[in-house]
């Protein structure tokens, strides 16, 4: 996959709305949507602060919902749109969930595990690989993150 499809952009727009909700709740604004065709199976924003859970990243929240919706843990026929490049934990969870593909908005130079620091999603040493595409609505994702941290720093 070399370019985002219209449905991917639509799902990223939904993920951006979820990320904005997370920011209003005091969470780092990351949103994720798991979908199969036009059907949304799971979605979530960061919930680490709300749930006191270090694993409550948007991607994990969305995959948990999707697994429950499907009645199975394998998400091979699903895609995820997430506003920030997945971290090592989330990229590893995607591999373990057998997710079909992931698209993300902003690259993450400090913790990105699909392009910036690692390539966990398509590492041939692992038992599953998924398609990845970054930069989808990246400007919007970056603006949301910058506004959040600017407010947090009080500038």
């Amino acid at each position: 996959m070399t370019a985002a499809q219209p449905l991917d952009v639509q799902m990223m727009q939904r993920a951006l709305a979820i990320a904005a909700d997370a920011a209003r709740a005091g969470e780092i604004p990351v949103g994720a949507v798991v979908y199969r065709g036009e059907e949304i199976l799971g979605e979530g924003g960061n919930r680490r602060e709300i749930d006191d859970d270090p694993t409550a990243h948007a991607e994990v929240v969305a995959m948990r919902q999707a697994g429950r919706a499907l009645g199975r843990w394998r998400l091979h026929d699903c895609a995820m749109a997430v506003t920030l490049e997945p971290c090592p934990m989330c990229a590893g969870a995607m591999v373990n969930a057998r997710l079909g593909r992931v698209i993300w908005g902003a690259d993450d130079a400090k913790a990105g595990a699909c392009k910036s620091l690692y390539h966990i999603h398509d590492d041939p040493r692992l038992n599953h690989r998924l398609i990845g595409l970054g930069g989808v609505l990246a400007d919007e994702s970056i603006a949301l993150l910058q506004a959040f941290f600017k407010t947090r720093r009080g500038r």
Side-chain angles (χ1 to χ4, degrees):
M1 178 175 68
T2 58
Q5 301 301 307
L7 180 60
D8 298 325
V9 174
Q10 178 184 340
M11 293 301 173
M12 185 63 77
Q13 290 168 332
R14 176 67 189 141
L16 283 162
I18 294 166
D21 290 342
R24 285 188 285 278
E27 296 281 353
I28 294 174
V30 178
V33 177
V34 175
Y35 54 103
R36 183 176 58 182
E38 295 184 12
E39 180 184 15
I40 293 175
L41 299 167
E43 58 184 24
N46 274 354
R47 297 187 54 87
R48 293 187 309 170
E49 302 295 334
I50 294 167
D51 293 347
D52 294 322
D53 180 353
T55 68
H57 288 203
E59 300 95 321
V60 173
V61 172
M63 284 190 290
R64 285 178 180 153
Q65 281 186 12
R68 285 192 295 270
L70 291 170
R72 58 181 161 89
W73 62 267
R74 288 180 183 86
L75 304 178
H76 60 277
D77 54 350
C78 300
M80 178 187 294
V82 60
T83 58
L84 183 64
E85 179 184 358
C87 72
M89 176 184 70
C90 294
M94 289 174 195
V95 169
N96 285 318
R98 313 297 194 267
L99 189 71
R101 61 192 189 92
V102 60
I103 63 167
W104 67 89
D107 290 343
D108 186 349
K110 293 183 180 180
C114 291
K115 175 186 172 191
S116 298
L117 299 178
Y118 307 103
H119 292 262
I120 292 172
H121 73 292
D122 63 0
D123 189 320
R125 297 170 295 178
L126 299 174
N127 64 334
H128 176 76
R129 286 171 289 290
L130 57 138
I131 297 166
L133 176 66
V136 178
L137 300 182
D139 292 342
E140 293 88 335
S141 297
I142 291 165
L144 193 56
L145 287 160
Q146 286 176 338
F148 176 80
F149 285 111
K150 183 178 180 181
T151 300
R152 184 180 260 191
R153 287 190 292 268
R155 295 191 235 153

